[in-house]
């Protein structure tokens, strides 16, 4: 029996619209990190929406609007996951730009958005930019020596997930580095809001490198499989791509006490180090960071 292959239905229909949905990466820092091509697109679009829950830029909406010359709507998680159909309908009749901090595909949410747009018969164009997934190499570790990336969320009194541990352990067994993406909580509804159906939100929270290390050490103590220890060399990265960028390497037990300043933070747990990587890490190790702080004081 011969079965004829058929193209998946969502990709079979040609675009029905002459307008375009642009998914535009903004880079890591501020309004000026957008590419020239991305800026040209944003300035000619009729509607501009900024996704502001998977990550944040280190500038205000007003700064974006002043530089882009366009009104910028801010989309929270509820908009992106439940109300984005309105944007897709709008993109059928006029050009719309959906702005994403970093690169458009740094979060699975945006892959889903593109699929939904294609299913709706929309034309979609993606404009890429830098994200922490490639900019992490600024710390001197080689990108092709990284394993699977993990995400870490804030622990609560009743919820202390450790599913990341197995992935991290597997990376370490293979001698690979691990990039840890740290939790961002923006416009999260309060318990009271969830119970009463009202609109009320928690203050924004951004996990620090210090909090991440504390949680990592707690999980290692609990699991006891020796995936890492307080002596494991890590790299803390803060505000990558900004003028105030801070990079410090050192043992986990010592990095936990370093003040990395304002968000956003990321953490790398190293695997086996190449000689060039070791040499670079020496330029940002904890002793040099402390010496610099003393000089500034």
């Amino acid at each position: 029996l011969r079965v004829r292959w058929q193209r998946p239905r969502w990709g079979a229909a040609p675009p029905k619209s002459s307008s375009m949905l642009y998914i535009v990466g903004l880079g890591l820092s501020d309004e000026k990190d957008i590419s020239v091509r991305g800026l040209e697109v944003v300035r000619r679009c009729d509607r501009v929406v900024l996704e502001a829950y998977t990550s944040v830029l280190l500038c205000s909406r007003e700064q974006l609007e002043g530089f882009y010359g366009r009104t910028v709507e801010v989309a929270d998680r509820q908009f992106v996951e439940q109300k984005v159909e309105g944007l897709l309908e709008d993109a059928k009749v006029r050009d719309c730009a959906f702005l994403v901090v970093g690169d458009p595909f740094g979060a699975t949410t945006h892959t889903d958005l593109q699929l939904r747009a294609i299913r709706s018969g929309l034309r979609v164009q993606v404009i890429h930019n830098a994200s922490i997934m490639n900019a992490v190499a600024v710390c001197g570790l080689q990108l092709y020596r990284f394993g699977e990336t993990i995400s870490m969320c804030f622990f609560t009194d009743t919820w202390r997930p450790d599913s990341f541990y197995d992935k991290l352990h597997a990376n370490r067994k293979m001698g690979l580095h691990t990039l840890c993406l740290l939790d961002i909580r923006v416009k999260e509804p309060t318990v009271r809001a969830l119970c009463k159906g009202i609109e009320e939100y928690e203050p924004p929270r951004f996990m620090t490198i210090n909090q991440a290390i504390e949680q990592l050490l707690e999980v290692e103590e609990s699991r006891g499989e020796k995936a890492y220890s307080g002596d494991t060399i890590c790299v803390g990265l803060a505000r990558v791509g900004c003028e105030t960028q801070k990079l410090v390497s050192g043992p986990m037990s010592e990095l936990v006490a370093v003040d990395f300043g304002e968000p956003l933070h990321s953490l790398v747990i190293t695997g086996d180090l190449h000689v060039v990587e070791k040499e670079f890490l020496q330029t940002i190790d904890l002793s040099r960071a402390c010496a610099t702080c003393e000089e500034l004081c």
Side-chain angles (χ1 to χ4, degrees):
L1 178 64
R2 298 182 65 184
V3 179
R4 186 178 178 183
W5 180 84
Q6 293 182 335
R7 185 181 298 275
R9 292 184 62 186
W10 61 263
K16 301 175 182 178
S17 172
S18 60
S19 56
M20 183 80 73
L21 173 65
Y22 295 93
I23 306 178
V24 183
L26 299 184
L28 292 165
S29 179
D30 57 27
E31 72 276 14
K32 294 181 181 179
D33 275 7
I34 191 171
S35 67
V36 173
R37 183 178 172 212
L39 182 59
E40 290 174 346
V41 163
V42 169
R43 285 179 173 172
R44 69 171 180 260
C45 278
D46 301 297
R47 185 180 180 188
V48 180
V49 177
L50 169 66
E51 185 269 283
Y53 85 89
T54 57
S55 190
V56 295
L57 282 178
L58 304 181
C59 64
S60 66
R61 181 178 68 175
E62 290 72 24
Q63 288 173 290
L64 292 179
E65 291 179 332
F67 190 70
Y68 298 162
R70 284 287 182 273
T71 299
V72 177
E73 304 172 40
V74 176
D76 57 15
R77 172 175 293 192
Q78 186 179 25
F79 177 95
V80 175
E81 296 182 349
Q82 301 175 22
K83 300 180 180 180
V84 78
E85 294 300 330
L87 174 63
L88 300 182
E89 287 298 314
D90 208 5
K92 293 179 180 179
V93 296
R94 57 178 181 163
D95 289 339
C96 296
F98 186 79
L99 310 183
V100 179
V101 179
D103 184 80
F105 296 133
T108 53
T109 298
H110 310 128
T111 304
D112 177 68
L113 173 65
Q114 185 183 30
L115 284 173
R116 290 163 73 176
I118 293 172
R119 292 189 188 113
S120 299
L122 287 170
R123 295 196 304 153
V124 181
Q125 189 173 125
V126 177
I127 300 174
H128 295 280
N129 210 317
S131 79
I132 190 60
M133 301 294 285
N134 61 338
V136 66
V138 70
C139 71
L141 300 177
Q142 299 164 9
L143 285 177
Y144 62 84
R145 295 173 62 84
F146 276 78
E148 186 171 356
T149 297
I150 65 171
S151 298
M152 296 190 61
C153 57
F154 284 108
F155 282 178
T156 69
D157 292 338
T158 57
W159 191 56
R160 309 177 90 75
D162 62 359
S163 57
F164 63 83
Y165 185 89
D166 295 323
K167 297 176 182 179
L168 202 167
H169 199 178
N171 286 346
R172 293 272 295 165
K173 285 179 179 178
M174 292 185 286
L176 301 175
H177 312 312
T178 304
L179 170 61
C180 307
L181 303 178
L182 309 187
D183 203 359
I184 295 173
R185 296 295 180 96
V186 179
K187 207 175 180 182
E188 292 286 330
T190 63
V191 174
R192 193 167 76 100
L194 293 173
C195 293
K196 297 187 175 183
I198 60 176
E199 191 169 314
E200 183 178 80
Y201 302 100
E202 300 280 359
R205 298 174 65 199
F206 304 93
M207 182 180 284
T208 65
I209 292 162
N210 318 81
Q211 290 169 320
I213 291 175
E214 289 172 355
Q215 293 187 182
L216 283 164
L217 292 174
E218 177 184 321
V219 170
E220 177 55 56
E221 184 176 358
S222 172
R223 295 284 293 264
E225 298 174 30
K226 298 182 179 179
Y228 50 85
S229 70
D231 294 328
T232 301
I233 299 298
C234 297
V235 185
L237 305 94
R239 300 171 302 283
V240 172
C242 303
E243 291 183 359
T244 59
Q245 171 179 286
K246 185 170 185 174
L247 311 172
V248 183
S249 70
M252 195 179 289
S253 60
E254 296 182 19
L255 282 190
V256 72
V258 175
D259 181 4
F260 284 91
E262 296 296 312
L264 297 169
H265 292 187
S266 300
L267 177 68
V268 176
I269 300 169
T270 65
D272 296 337
L273 292 168
H274 184 274
V275 61
V276 176
E277 292 177 315
K278 289 181 180 179
E279 185 177 352
F280 195 97
L281 291 186
Q282 289 175 1
T283 69
I284 58 169
D285 68 17
L286 189 56
S287 61
R288 286 179 177 268
C290 293
T292 303
C293 290
E294 290 175 1
E295 290 172 6
L296 291 174
C297 293

